[in-house]
Structures are given as C-alpha cells and as structure tokens.
Amino acid sequence: MKRKLLFGERMLLGDGTEPFNAVIPFRLRGTFKEEDIQYALNQLQGKHPWLRAVIHHDEQNIPWFEVPERNLPIPIRTVSRNGEDHWQKESEREWQTLFQYGERPLIRFVWIKGEEVSDMLFAFHHCLCDGGSAMAFLYEFLKILDNPSAEIGVEHPILGIQDVVPSEILTNRKQKLKAKLIGRLAATAIKCIPVGKKAVERKNDYLIHWKFDKALSQELISYCKSMEVTVNTFLSAAVLQAFKKIRGESAFNKVSCPVDIRRFAKQIKEDHIFAFGLMIVVSANHKMSFSENLRLMQESVERKTSKLNPYITMMVMESAHDALKNFTKLLKHGKSSNDCMFSNLGRIQIPHQYKEFTLDTIFSPSVIGPLGNTTTMVTSTFRGEMDFSFVGSEGYLPYAEALAIRDEVIQTVKLQLDHIAVL
C-alpha cells in the first residue's frame, strides 16, 4: 500500500533535514510492562496502515507513503521519571529529534517510567497526522493497554485526494479550471514576493505550560455561553490583547486559528490518519472594550469559517506542487506577519478511569517546525480543566516576553470573570 504525499504533507515533510514534530504527553497512575505497551502500539499499527509507513522518493524525487511488507514496530524509549515536569524536557527533546522516515515509522513512543505514576509521550511527524487524529489513536492505545482483547476496528485509509474531494467536484471541468487558475496565480505571486537570503535564527526553543482548575474553567465556559461567543474566540481575544500589551508596536494583531477539516469534509473520519488543515486569521479592534470586541470577533470568525472550502483548497494546492519550493522558501525566509498560532482542541472525550490504571491528565499537545514563526499556543480541556501549552523560540519571541504574555492572558481571563461576578 502506498500513496503520494499531498501538497500540505510535502510542505510539512520538507527535505528531511529539519524536524517538524508534534508531541502529545499524558499521565497514567498504575504499573505497566513494556511488552504490554508494545502490544498496544502493535495493535494501533494493525488498524492504521500509515502508522506502519515509511517515506520513499521516486525517480522524480516525489515522496510517497509506503507500507513495507515487513512490519516496523513503533519504537519505545524508556527513561526514569524525575519529577512532575520531566515530561516537558522529554517533549523538547522529541521536537529536536529527526525521524529516519526512510527506515522507520513516523511515530515513536516515550515512557517516562515511575513507580506509581508514569508520564508517556506520543511523538509523530506533523506530515503524518494532526492533533485530531492523534487523539483518536491515543484513545485506542489506552483502550488496548487496559484490555488487550479490546476491538478497535480497522481504518480504511485515505489513498489520495479522490478519497476526500467528492468525484462530482473533483472531475467537474469548471471546478478543475478554477482550481488550476487560482493555483497558477498563487504560484506566480509567491515568486514575486521578495524574501531575505537567510531564515530567522530560531535560537533556543521553549515550552511554557499551565492549567485552569475546574472552577475557573467552568466559569469561563459559562461566561462565553452568556456572551454567545465560543471559548476559542474569547481566548483568541485574550491572546491578542496580551501580545499588544507586552509587545506594543511589535505586535501584529493577528492570530492564526486552525479549523478542523472534518467539520466540512465528512469523508474524513475521526480516526483517519490525516494531516490536512484549514486556517482563519483573527484580529481585534483595540479601540473597543474587550467585551465589545468579542461579539465583533465572533461575527468575523463565523463569516470567515463559512467561506472555507476544503475541496477547492485541496484542488488548488494539488495543482501547485511545482510551487512548493518557492512557497516553503517564503515561509522560512519571509517576515513574520502574525503573533502566533492559537489552537483549541476543545473537550477531549477520552475516559479517565480504567480497570488497570487511571488517566490522570492529558497535557495539551505541542508542535514546532522550521516554517517561519514557531510561536504556538494550544489548549484542550480534560476532566473539566483547561490545559495550555505555549511553544516558542527566542529568535521570534523572547522567553521573558512569552512568560509575561502567559501572565497577561491569565489576568485577562480572571478580570473578565471577576467583572461579570460583580455585575
């Protein structure tokens, strides 16, 4: 089984010399055996063919996912647990570790082993899948780790654009022409945009982590409902305000927010191993109050989201493979134009109580790669607590400023909730 990488996947893969890795850490209370962990990982590979895949290049240097006849197990690295924050150090190590994708799978596992508590990490190349896919196989892994005979089904993998874009759109002459025309215009425009000779020096990467307790998390959710805005919009507004206050004129007033393609393309199932994403950009009007801004931003988010068309977007990108090199150069060498990417995975619907162990927490994923500004904030909610991972690089956002932005986001949330409580 094999398939060509799509445009977005090739962009994330790069030339193989720089990692673009995502990490999902989680904490379990219980005792475990390595053979049981390996068995659960093997079962995951049995369901999902692309978790067994390597990447090979053909004679035109086009990369292909290819499932080898001989099964290549997901490697496990075991280290002794050294404190509550040890998982952060191992996350940062996994960001920097290249995948030997021609010889091994694009996923690996880290067991931070303790006597009664273990932290575990799934690390995977971002060209393999997104956070939604990763949460699906995390759920399946825990299910099998608890009960080796549990059924998790078999994935019918996506084998190309034809498995995502309906045939009546994909073969429509008008749509094909439209996609090709937009692709050519974009490719030409990208060539004309001036870029520097050198990419920005990233310097040291870092991870900042924090949580909101159940009470604060629930207050925030209730406040957003009363304001008729999403938690995502509220937190985006808080992030924009924090960047403006801390960075002043250096702030761009732009946050990129991923939108799950599964909302629009129902052909992509929750458990599909797939990496393609959609994006909108959110900005604030700093002349307005925070609460006034929320409603305007929510209207903007809904308007932009309604215009997203995953099918045409994919067709445009697939018509522009010859522009990949120029597009990647633009991302790497062009000036940053947004403050950060902000991603809200929402409520993670994975059980926490199992027969053999307890899933104490799932830390929000982190991801870092070489395509421009690395500043990324990811939040998720598990067992009623909002969890935040804030990733950055000194060359784009100094660590001290990132800490100040975190504090400002937390203060903004609390001030808004205190204000509503007083009213």
Side-chain angles (χ1 to χ4, degrees), residues 136-378:
F137 66 66
L138 171 57
Y139 165 75
E140 294 162 355
F141 168 79
L142 294 168
K143 191 174 180 180
I144 298 165
L145 187 62
D146 186 52
N147 176 14
S149 62
E151 288 290 329
I152 58 171
V154 177
E155 179 195 357
H156 298 289
I158 290 169
L159 298 174
I161 189 173
Q162 71 279 1
D163 289 340
V164 178
V165 180
S167 59
E168 63 269 21
I169 297 174
L170 191 61
T171 59
N172 183 285
R173 283 185 63 191
K174 188 177 177 182
Q175 300 288 11
K176 284 165 69 176
L177 186 63
K178 178 183 176 182
K180 197 165 186 178
L181 180 62
I182 296 171
R184 290 303 88 210
L185 287 171
T188 304
I190 288 166
K191 281 183 183 178
C192 298
I193 297 172
V195 294
K197 291 183 179 179
K198 282 188 175 182
V200 174
E201 188 185 348
R202 263 166 62 176
K203 302 178 184 176
N204 291 333
D205 301 323
Y206 54 80
L207 168 63
I208 301 169
H209 171 261
W210 73 96
K211 279 182 179 289
F212 289 163
D213 63 22
K214 285 184 180 179
L216 184 59
S217 300
Q218 187 52 56
E219 278 184 62
L220 174 53
I221 292 167
S222 298
Y223 174 82
C224 290
K225 284 181 179 176
S226 71
M227 293 291 289
E228 297 183 337
V229 300
T230 63
V231 171
N232 195 74
T233 298
F234 179 97
L235 291 174
S236 294
V239 169
L240 286 165
Q241 182 167 290
F243 269 89
K244 178 65 177 173
K245 184 163 184 179
I246 303 305
R247 305 214 79 198
E249 293 303 312
S250 297
F252 295 101
N253 190 27
K254 287 181 181 177
V255 167
S256 302
C257 296
V259 179
D260 191 351
I261 191 172
R262 294 164 185 82
R263 286 172 55 183
F264 304 91
K266 300 302 180 184
Q267 297 86 341
I268 307 171
K269 306 303 179 188
E270 294 293 331
D271 61 352
H272 267 136
I273 303 300
F274 195 63
F276 189 88
L278 301 167
M279 197 81 70
I280 62 170
V281 175
V282 179
S283 298
N285 184 337
H286 293 302
K287 294 178 181 178
M288 292 185 168
S289 70
F290 187 86
S291 57
E292 287 172 332
N293 240 318
L294 281 180
R295 289 191 173 87
L296 278 179
M297 286 176 65
Q298 186 62 47
E299 288 172 9
S300 173
V301 165
E302 289 170 4
R303 187 168 60 252
K304 289 178 178 180
T305 304
S306 69
K307 291 179 181 177
L308 291 173
N309 187 327
Y311 304 135
I312 291 296
T313 303
M314 285 189 75
M315 289 170 69
V316 167
M317 293 173 81
E318 289 311 293
S319 74
H321 276 263
D322 59 328
L324 181 66
K325 192 174 180 180
N326 287 327
F327 188 54
T328 301
K329 187 179 179 181
L330 175 64
L331 291 174
K332 282 187 176 184
H333 296 246
K335 289 185 178 180
S336 181
S337 61
N338 72 325
D339 295 301
C340 77
M341 188 185 82
F342 175 72
S343 177
N344 180 11
L345 292 178
R347 190 158 63 95
I348 299 173
Q349 308 222 29
I350 294 178
H352 79 274
Q353 192 64 56
Y354 295 81
K355 291 178 183 176
E356 301 297 327
F357 56 82
T358 301
L359 175 59
D360 191 65
T361 192
I362 299 172
F363 301 103
S364 289
S366 60
V367 61
I368 197 163
L371 300 180
N373 190 348
T374 58
T375 315
T376 304
M377 194 181 295
V378 182

